[in-house]
Amino acid sequence: VPRMLVETPKPITDDTRRPSDIPMLTALRRGIARRCPACGEGPLLAGYLRRLPSCNVCGEDLSHIRADDGPAWATLIVMGHLLAPLMIILGRDESIPLDRNLLLSAAMLAGVWLCLPRAKGLFIALIWRTGATGEDVFAHPASPKDDGNGGAAR
């Protein structure tokens, strides 16, 4: 099978589309659907959890966005509140057959499998929309700034 050449779209560099132009709920809905928060067309993730560096459709740069532990935290909160009480109650009752306990554990795993990529898409869209990438958070205010001429401005 011959390989097809895929052109990478050129990102929109003018001010026609900014994250603030997209309504927050629209961006979050697109993220939950694992679509580009800017256009809603291109995929946000490659495979299960790997973030694409840019949108294949509109060229929006997503390489600076890191969701870190947020999706795992959100998944644990959601699935923990839904199924953990049942697992605790049924785990203590010896009259519940083992197959029902295993079924509940399988439901927990399936819930995590479904929830985690959607939570990652949600966090990427939220970070994209708000611009909260955290790039300058750890810079010390007293550290010298680069003046663009190869030296530090004082």
Side-chain angles (χ1 to χ4, degrees):
V1 175
R3 297 186 83 175
M4 294 175 46
L5 295 175
V6 177
E7 280 188 44
T8 303
K10 294 179 184 172
I12 298 172
T13 55
D14 59 3
D15 289 334
T16 57
R17 187 188 68 226
R18 297 181 311 253
S20 60
D21 293 338
I22 309 284
M24 178 69 81
L25 290 178
T26 301
L28 296 181
R29 242 189 331 263
R30 290 173 177 174
I32 290 172
R34 298 173 293 159
R35 296 282 167 209
C36 171
C39 69
E41 298 292 323
L44 191 59
L45 304 174
Y48 184 62
L49 287 177
R50 191 172 55 96
R51 175 195 36 82
L52 290 172
S54 64
C55 177
N56 295 336
V57 176
C58 69
E60 180 71 30
D61 181 26
L62 303 168
S63 62
H64 61 285
I65 298 175
R66 294 181 43 180
D68 293 334
D69 293 335
W73 172 82
T75 300
L76 284 172
I77 293 295
V78 170
M79 295 310 300
H81 280 87
L82 291 177
L83 290 177
L86 289 174
M87 292 181 84
I88 291 170
I89 292 168
L90 295 177
R92 291 182 176 203
D93 189 359
E94 294 178 10
S95 66
I96 305 291
L98 181 62
D99 61 342
R100 298 234 172 94
N101 282 333
L102 291 175
L103 186 64
L104 188 60
S105 296
M108 181 78 151
L109 287 173
V112 168
W113 182 75
L114 289 171
C115 190
L116 190 57
R118 284 152 185 82
K120 185 162 185 174
L122 175 79
F123 271 78
I124 290 172
L126 181 65
I127 292 167
W128 175 84
R129 174 59 176 77
T130 60
T133 59
E135 292 174 355
D136 297 331
V137 171
F138 298 108
H140 192 277
S143 65
K145 307 253 187 291
D146 186 7
D147 64 0
N149 295 326
R154 296 262 175 196

